[in-house]
Amino acid sequence: MTETRLYRFGSPDQTDSIRHQPQPEKSWNSSVNLQYYQTFNQTNFSLSLNPESSIYGLGQNIGPINRRGATYRLFNMQARPQTPDCRAVNGPYAFSIIKNKNSCQGILIDCPAEINFDCGFTKPDLLSICIESLDFDLYLIEGIDVKDILKEYTSLTGKSYLPPKWAFGFQQSRYSYMNAKEVQEIAQNFRSRQIPCDAIYLDIDYMEDYKVFTVDPEPFPNFANFTKEIQGQGFHLIPIIDPGVKIESGYSVYEEGVSKGYFCKNAEGQDYIAAVWPSLIHFPDFLRAEVREWWGNLYKFFTDLGISAFWNDMNEPEIFYSPDSIQQLKKRVTELDYTAWRDLDPIHYKINLDRFMLNSETFYPDFFHQTPTGLVPHQELHNLYGFKMLQAASEGLQKLNPNQRYFLISRSSMLGVNRLAGVWTGDNSSWWEHLKLNIQMVISLNLCGVLYSGSDIGGHCGNADEELLIRWTQLGAFLPLFRNHTEKSSRRQEPWAYSSTATEIIKDVITLRYALIDYLYSEFLKAREQNLPFIRPVFLEFAEAGLDEINDQFLCGASLMIAPVIEPNARHRTIILPEFNWLYWCASKHDQYNFQVLAPGIHRLLVALNQIPIFIKENHLILLTEPEQFQGEKIKSEAIIIGLINQESSFTFYYDDGVTINSEIQKIKFKVSLKNKILEIEQQLLPITAKPPYQNFNFMIYDLAGNQYYKQISLSLT
Ligand code: GLC
């Protein structure tokens, strides 16, 4: 039995994070195991932890998925580089799950201000939560297991964002492809090398002087024709949208924003000035509905060209400096003399002038949002900014293209974003440690309802060597957002940027992903329907003890376990296979089926550089199809269904039209049994209203002894 109670503290403003609010409790229930006290501006909760309790959730923080033993600052910040000591990063979700031996508790805090979690760092047996506010909603969810809590959490915050199906294809990015010719060459390379790809990103250099909702006509002459040409080759273009609006007279977005009073204010009530890529800018006050409506409509510039895919960046918001801080910096530099030690950062042995530049946080108290209760300092509402920018995009795009799914990913996020957009995990580095962190962050985001997520494959900052890019692409092939992206000064990182052997391996990995796309999409739809994560920690599916600490293998849906190689020079992988027999596929090419039956337990497997260890759970099935160069390229006629059957299994394949919001999910169900070495397949007809993507299903089934059985069935549709 799951039970949710809402406790209201003070009079919180509605954030829109929560979709379905229960009636607030009349008073604090003293039987609740949380203690609390308030100071004049903070609320502190504490909870005693059992020795065996684990803590999950909190969004995309740096560290293991079990948060116990560390502190986390829930305050949207672009951490660059993402080192283990960063306490605040993007994507803070004030949702934690405390998993005890026989019970579970979810704590969800709906509050846009900073929240600090001490998960047993100061006192190992105490969880302390400090909220920088007296006005917020606290939801306590009680249940037996983590799945109960997650289902309840989703019914509060709403179902995950559903991108168009092409978003499960490979995506190529770089900061930046500088002109139309370069983008065309990238497109041409994918197609001529037969490396599947569905999308190419446009980073900030496509804009004229970094002015949002413009295109620089010099590097991108005739943008409309260029867009058509790229789209004609089966690619989606994904331009970046930043919140900072360049201060430049004659620039329509700036002029309109100023004349209508749409920008955030400084303490004197004037438009606040900060600096980001375009130098001096104003920030739209996305917390206001009319500003969101205005901003959402600006997307028309792109939707008129058939572009409905975007990434929203710098939306914490990140601030490089302000006119004021530059003055202070100049002054401080001229003053520096032999007393510079006063500015010395003794830990890093450098003159510490960071407080004047590249430290967004110092600027947050300087600007204000207009709310129904008056001007409120940004600091107090900080975590909401990115969310509201996404709300503007989401509402705008739905109005501009009714009933069409849009593609939208964001760097900044919080509770509620899970309904509106996907998330990429910001500026990681080309480090092996970040390959592992990618798994941890995506699992944690999925636990917080952000099903469509991923990290920059190959790493954003620094230079990836070819082994790192290969291993990272192998991981990415099983995560929803599959995007290679890197920064301006990094070496080229496209799939063909290294040796010809590396290109071949990466091509095979991406092709394998395309063979699995229909299956992954089906499992994504299923996870979304069931209010469960798509990328799952191992402990979520098995009762066995000791699984809580697994940070380097994960499940896609309920049946497919992936154990990517995450260390340099490693040609072995140790894997824990819980409770069941598993069909092991040491995969390199999508059509080379070297399957092997493995018993439950710990295995150390030989894995060459071109191989990915994939495991299919006993009595579960996966589906493979002929890979395409981009989705929709071909009409497919058949699918292959593979699995290890002990006695009997059933498999339901989900599909929809992949593009419209109201598309009805279709289900085809098969019952597969192996009795006396005879394979039997029964198609259970469910009412379907749209034609299935293929008619023929080739079953390739293994028994526990590794014997193979084949059967083809053609769908009989009523
Ligand atoms: C930020 C983004 C990164 C992008 C860069 C330039 O650092 O996180 O992905 O490439 O800005 O727009």
Side-chain angles (χ1 to χ4, degrees):
M1 250 305 276
T2 325
E3 194 182 27
T4 301
R5 287 171 196 272
L6 161 59
Y7 295 97
R8 178 149 294 161
F9 288 75
S11 33
D13 288 333
Q14 290 306 306
T15 60
D16 286 341
S17 293
I18 304 298
R19 252 299 159 80
H20 306 289
Q21 274 189 349
Q23 272 300 317
E25 299 294 308
K26 291 209 170 59
S27 60
W28 181 249
N29 183 340
S30 54
S31 69
V32 168
N33 56 357
L34 283 184
Q35 310 295 318
Y36 86 90
Y37 69 91
Q38 292 187 306
T39 64
F40 76 101
N41 61 355
Q42 283 180 342
T43 310
N44 295 274
F45 290 94
S46 58
L47 171 76
S48 295
L49 296 169
N50 297 324
E52 80 290 348
S53 308
S54 314
I55 303 174
Y56 299 100
L58 302 183
Q60 71 177 55
N61 284 288
I62 297 168
I65 55 170
N66 181 355
R67 305 303 194 190
R68 195 147 177 188
T71 58
Y72 300 91
R73 180 170 178 232
L74 304 193
F75 195 71
N76 258 308
M77 293 285 285
Q78 170 53 45
R80 196 185 294 110
Q82 296 179 345
T83 48
D85 57 347
C86 292
R87 302 315 335 137
V89 293
N90 282 306
Y93 285 71
F95 169 56
S96 55
I97 306 155
I98 295 101
K99 178 174 176 275
N100 306 311
K101 223 178 194 162
N102 300 314
S103 69
C104 257
Q105 189 173 23
I107 304 177
L108 189 161
I109 303 158
D110 185 11
C111 175
E114 174 173 346
I115 304 175
N116 280 281
F117 272 72
D118 180 333
C119 301
F121 172 77
T122 308
K123 289 188 185 161
D125 56 355
L126 201 71
L127 167 68
S128 311
I129 305 170
C130 175
I131 305 171
E132 298 289 333
S133 177
L134 304 178
D135 303 302
F136 57 89
D137 280 345
L138 175 86
Y139 296 80
L140 294 182
I141 312 169
E142 307 288 339
I144 302 294
D145 67 15
V146 177
K147 281 190 177 170
D148 290 344
I149 306 290
L150 292 175
K151 286 180 183 169
E152 193 61 17
Y153 165 78
T154 317
S155 68
L156 294 169
T157 57
K159 279 204 182 295
S160 155
Y161 157 72
L162 178 63
K165 184 171 174 239
W166 65 257
F168 288 79
F170 184 68
Q171 306 173 16
Q172 182 62 47
S173 184
R174 179 176 181 84
Y175 166 28
S176 296
Y177 294 126
M178 297 299 290
N179 50 52
K181 191 163 162 275
E182 199 180 354
V183 179
Q184 277 149 348
E185 277 166 13
I186 295 292
Q188 163 69 15
N189 258 295
F190 274 105
R191 294 299 178 246
S192 64
R193 293 170 188 274
Q194 300 262 292
I195 303 175
C197 181
D198 268 271
I200 302 176
Y201 282 68
L202 297 178
D203 207 324
I204 49 173
D205 293 288
Y206 78 85
M207 292 181 248
E208 190 177 19
D209 292 334
Y210 304 132
K211 283 181 285 187
V212 70
F213 300 110
T214 70
V215 171
D216 191 338
E218 211 179 293
F220 289 93
N222 204 340
F223 191 68
N225 275 359
F226 158 77
T227 304
K228 245 193 228 144
E229 193 192 315
I230 297 291
Q231 288 167 342
Q233 295 169 51
F235 293 99
H236 293 264
L237 277 179
I238 309 183
I240 196 166
I241 304 288
D242 288 352
V245 174
K246 186 174 167 66
I247 300 178
E248 186 184 283
S249 60
Y251 165 39
S252 62
V253 180
Y254 161 76
E255 297 282 3
E256 196 179 353
V258 170
S259 69
K260 298 201 167 136
Y262 285 162
F263 295 125
C264 293
K265 304 292 175 214
N266 64 17
E268 284 75 47
Q270 294 146 345
D271 292 338
Y272 173 70
I273 303 176
V276 206
W277 302 118
S279 77
L280 300 185
I281 54 96
H282 292 317
F283 283 125
D285 189 351
F286 294 121
L287 273 63
R288 292 163 54 196
E290 67 270 37
V291 178
R292 290 200 293 275
E293 198 181 338
W294 166 64
W295 189 263
N297 202 40
L298 294 175
Y299 280 87
K300 190 168 186 312
F301 177 80
F302 290 109
T303 53
D304 281 352
L305 299 168
I307 296 176
S308 58
F310 304 91
W311 46 322
N312 278 190
D313 188 23
M314 307 290 283
N315 48 353
E316 296 75 25
E318 185 169 356
I319 297 176
F320 293 166
Y321 57 88
S322 74
D324 196 37
S325 76
I326 284 288
Q327 290 313 319
Q328 288 179 38
L329 177 69
K330 282 187 187 155
K331 187 161 170 279
R332 195 65 205 104
V333 169
T334 54
E335 281 167 12
L336 282 181
D337 56 16
Y338 296 110
T339 61
W341 57 268
R342 285 197 197 128
D343 285 295
L344 198 70
D345 167 353
I347 311 255
H348 300 102
Y349 302 103
K350 63 171 191 184
I351 301 291
N352 188 358
L353 298 170
D354 288 358
R355 66 179 179 277
F356 302 110
M357 289 192 72
L358 286 174
N359 183 359
S360 310
E361 199 173 343
T362 47
F363 304 106
Y364 292 157
D366 299 344
F367 65 101
F368 297 79
H369 297 276
Q370 271 177 45
T371 72
T373 48
L375 283 184
V376 176
H378 174 79
Q379 184 82 11
E380 289 177 24
L381 301 167
H382 172 66
N383 283 337
L384 268 183
Y385 194 75
F387 173 28
K388 294 291 154 181
M389 180 180 177
L390 293 161
Q391 217 173 12
S394 164
E395 285 162 8
L397 291 167
Q398 284 182 60
K399 245 186 235 162
L400 291 163
N401 286 330
N403 194 25
Q404 294 301 304
R405 286 186 219 169
Y406 56 81
F407 175 93
L408 186 61
I409 55 170
S410 175
R411 195 174 76 177
S412 160
S413 67
M414 66 167 278
L415 289 171
V417 165
N418 41 313
R419 293 195 301 271
L420 306 178
V423 165
W424 95 96
T425 62
D427 295 351
N428 59 2
S429 300
S430 299
W431 299 336
W432 285 90
E433 291 79 357
H434 280 188
L435 170 51
K436 182 171 178 192
L437 184 63
N438 187 171
I439 303 174
Q440 296 163 338
M441 282 189 168
V442 171
I443 290 178
S444 296
L445 279 167
N446 265 259
L447 288 172
C448 293
V450 186
L451 269 46
Y452 189 76
S453 47
S455 301
D456 290 351
I457 288 168
H460 184 74
C461 309
N463 300 306
D465 62 55
E466 72 174 50
E467 187 182 0
L468 180 61
L469 185 69
I470 289 171
R471 291 303 195 195
W472 213 324
T473 312
Q474 290 173 343
L475 160 65
F478 293 90
L479 301 179
L481 170 63
F482 186 23
R483 173 177 92 144
N484 175 321
H485 177 56
T486 192
E487 68 162 338
K488 215 164 208 169
S489 57
S490 303
R491 72 193 275 190
R492 302 298 299 203
Q493 204 177 269
E494 291 79 18
W496 51 86
Y498 299 82
S499 69
S500 55
T501 314
T503 308
E504 271 316 294
I505 297 177
I506 293 171
K507 175 178 167 173
D508 285 344
V509 177
I510 298 175
T511 309
L512 172 68
R513 159 73 166 228
Y514 276 71
L516 280 164
I517 265 184
D518 289 3
Y519 172 73
L520 295 176
Y521 184 66
S522 163
E523 291 301 299
F524 189 92
L525 291 175
K526 223 176 266 183
R528 187 172 178 271
E529 182 187 78
Q530 294 168 355
N531 291 340
L532 287 173
F534 169 57
I535 299 300
R536 299 183 190 178
V538 181
F539 74 80
L540 195 67
E541 289 298 325
F542 307 95
E544 203 174 292
L547 304 179
D548 290 14
E549 59 212 57
I550 298 181
N551 278 285
D552 58 358
Q553 55 184 84
F554 60 91
L555 291 135
C556 284
S559 358
L560 198 60
M561 175 97 80
I562 312 298
V565 174
I566 54 167
E567 282 174 2
N569 304 319
R571 297 296 179 265
H572 289 87
R573 179 66 163 88
T574 303
I575 164 99
I576 300 176
L577 295 177
E579 291 173 30
F580 295 88
N581 294 297
W582 296 76
L583 191 61
Y584 170 40
W585 186 12
C586 195
S588 52
K589 290 188 184 290
H590 74 98
D591 50 2
Q592 271 178 15
Y593 306 127
N594 48 339
F595 290 101
Q596 192 188 334
V597 179
L598 291 182
I602 299 177
H603 299 265
R604 184 168 156 78
L605 304 167
L606 205 63
V607 184
L609 183 60
N610 65 341
Q611 292 175 322
I612 320 170
I614 302 174
F615 307 85
I616 310 165
K617 193 171 155 190
E618 177 179 329
N619 292 334
H620 286 71
L621 300 160
I622 66 164
L623 176 142
L624 290 156
T625 63
E626 192 192 341
E628 299 168 285
Q629 290 303 302
F630 57 91
Q631 288 171 78
E633 184 203 8
K634 298 178 186 162
I635 296 174
K636 303 177 198 174
S637 61
E638 54 183 33
I640 301 168
I641 293 186
I642 300 174
L644 166 68
I645 303 290
N646 186 352
Q647 285 189 331
E648 190 178 284
S649 157
S650 71
F651 170 61
T652 311
F653 175 62
Y654 284 39
Y655 63 96
D656 65 8
D657 71 11
V659 288
T660 60
I661 294 175
N662 295 340
S663 171
E664 208 180 312
I665 293 178
Q666 313 288 323
K667 298 175 187 176
I668 304 175
K669 191 169 178 182
F670 298 104
K671 214 164 124 199
V672 183
S673 58
L674 253 186
K675 275 178 209 135
N676 304 323
K677 298 201 173 242
I678 300 192
L679 175 63
E680 281 185 10
I681 294 153
E682 207 182 298
Q683 177 207 332
Q684 297 184 332
L685 279 179
L686 300 171
I688 45 180
T689 52
K691 203 170 158 266
Y694 10 78
Q695 201 76 15
N696 299 321
F697 292 82
N698 297 312
F699 284 80
M700 195 161 97
I701 300 298
Y702 289 75
D703 67 14
L704 291 188
N707 301 311
Q708 291 176 29
Y709 304 81
Y710 300 94
K711 197 165 210 166
Q712 191 192 67
I713 70 153
S714 295
L715 278 191
S716 49
L717 297 173
T718 44

